[in-house]
Amino acid sequence: MSDAWQPLVTELDRWHQSGKKVRFWLRDDDAIEPSSALDRLLTLSDQHAVPACLAVIPKFTGKELANYLEGIKTVRVAVHGWAHEDHALPGSKKIELGGERSEAVILEELRQGHERLSQLHGERFVPVLVPPWNRIDPALIPHLKSIDFEALSVFGPERPSAIREINTHVDLMNWHGGRCGHDTETLAQMIIDRLKHCHDHGGVVGILTHHLVHDQQAWMFLDELFSMTGSHPAAEWRDIKSIIEQSE
Ligand SMILES: [Zn+2]
């Protein structure tokens, strides 16, 4: 492994010396069906015993994905909007859960997404809403519990909210810099920044991946992250289900 990891290893060593553990979780977005990229992700996570939470797009998925995931113990399925379609008002950022449509229409789609994925995935299903583009109209949030969601997962620090947030904090992809994987040094620093926050305020470190668009750097980073954390006594990977069950 390259020297780019050293600052993160040093930070984890510090946690270990003070008897604390860092809890990581993995969210991977945009799954619909089995693919070689999904296979690569889940083979990697399985090899390192890292539980993965797949944010699946309900409208376009079906039995094929459910059958494929059947034999994989460490995987969970969350609700990634309904169709991952943009309904933004003109001139606004992309949004499915907000924008030009009424609250009632959006909430009905989310209710259907919850129902469809829980029926397809049974025990693997977790009642967590992952908004496409990590974006949701705040006016919808107080209604999510009434359609049986228990948590919301977006990107960035958790905010006080009508429903618990279990967020991601480090995105492997550099969307605005060429849609390629961030370099290792940058990502290690993003994890360190989150660790400093967790040290003072508690919380988990959410790693965000998008298996369908990973380049060589993103795959290599993930492999090295799993290897490094797998052998470090201060790091542990948590199943999102156990994070939901644990009160913060
Ligand atoms: Zn997405």
Side-chain angles (χ1 to χ4, degrees), residues 16-46:
H16 184 53
Q17 279 152 18
S18 57
K20 289 182 141 192
K21 274 202 187 245
V22 176
R23 295 171 295 157
F24 289 92
W25 78 284
L26 178 69
R27 195 186 98 200
D28 180 86
D29 287 5
D30 301 340
I32 292 172
E33 59 192 1
S35 63
S36 56
L38 186 61
D39 212 42
R40 188 168 180 181
L41 176 85
L42 294 178
T43 301
L44 201 58
S45 64
D46 194 52

Side-chain angles (χ1 to χ4, degrees), residues 33-247:
E33 59 192 1
S35 63
S36 56
L38 186 61
D39 212 42
R40 188 168 180 181
L41 176 85
L42 294 178
T43 301
L44 201 58
S45 64
D46 194 52
Q47 275 169 359
H48 294 274
V50 170
C53 177
L54 303 181
V56 174
I57 304 169
K59 186 178 178 183
F60 302 113
T61 193
K63 278 232 171 316
E64 230 191 325
L65 181 65
N67 292 341
Y68 167 74
L69 296 178
E70 204 54 57
I72 303 169
K73 280 193 234 92
T74 52
V75 71
R76 301 285 178 198
V77 168
V79 181
H80 198 27
W82 168 246
H84 216 301
E85 285 169 359
D86 181 20
H87 294 282
L89 291 162
S92 303
K93 285 183 174 172
K94 283 182 181 172
I95 191 165
E96 181 175 49
L97 311 183
E100 64 191 6
R101 301 179 308 155
S102 75
E103 275 181 22
V105 168
I106 299 168
L107 290 169
E108 174 54 20
E109 281 185 353
L110 292 178
R111 192 198 60 74
Q112 282 182 43
H114 183 297
E115 183 178 78
R116 188 174 166 86
L117 293 186
S118 62
Q119 281 170 359
L120 281 166
H121 293 281
E123 282 292 293
R124 277 190 302 278
F125 176 77
V126 286
V128 175
L129 175 62
V130 179
W133 303 288
N134 290 299
R135 206 166 284 134
I136 180 168
D137 183 337
L140 291 166
I141 296 175
H143 302 289
L144 297 178
K145 280 189 177 165
S146 71
I147 49 170
D148 294 334
F149 284 99
E150 290 179 30
L152 175 68
S153 180
V154 292
F155 185 79
E158 285 74 11
R159 302 157 299 186
S161 172
I163 192 166
R164 180 151 169 220
E165 289 192 1
I166 304 172
N167 291 350
T168 54
H169 313 92
V170 178
D171 185 343
L172 264 58
M173 298 304 292
N174 182 359
W175 300 101
H176 305 294
R179 288 171 68 89
C180 54
H182 277 297
D183 64 65
T184 300
E185 202 177 337
T186 303
L187 290 168
Q189 189 55 50
M190 288 181 195
I191 296 174
I192 291 169
D193 290 345
R194 175 64 186 169
L195 286 182
K196 293 201 162 133
H197 176 91
C198 293
H199 193 271
D200 298 335
H201 305 283
V204 295
V205 183
I207 304 292
L208 175 58
T209 61
H210 286 79
H211 63 279
L212 292 169
V213 297
H214 283 185
D215 59 2
Q216 199 49 42
Q217 163 62 20
W219 286 119
M220 188 188 74
F221 176 83
L222 206 55
D223 196 358
E224 292 186 352
L225 177 67
F226 289 169
S227 298
M228 187 276 283
T229 50
S231 62
H232 199 290
E236 62 181 14
W237 285 88
R238 298 292 295 269
D239 180 340
I240 183 145
K241 198 159 191 163
S242 78
I243 301 175
I244 297 169
E245 284 162 2
Q246 192 172 55
S247 58

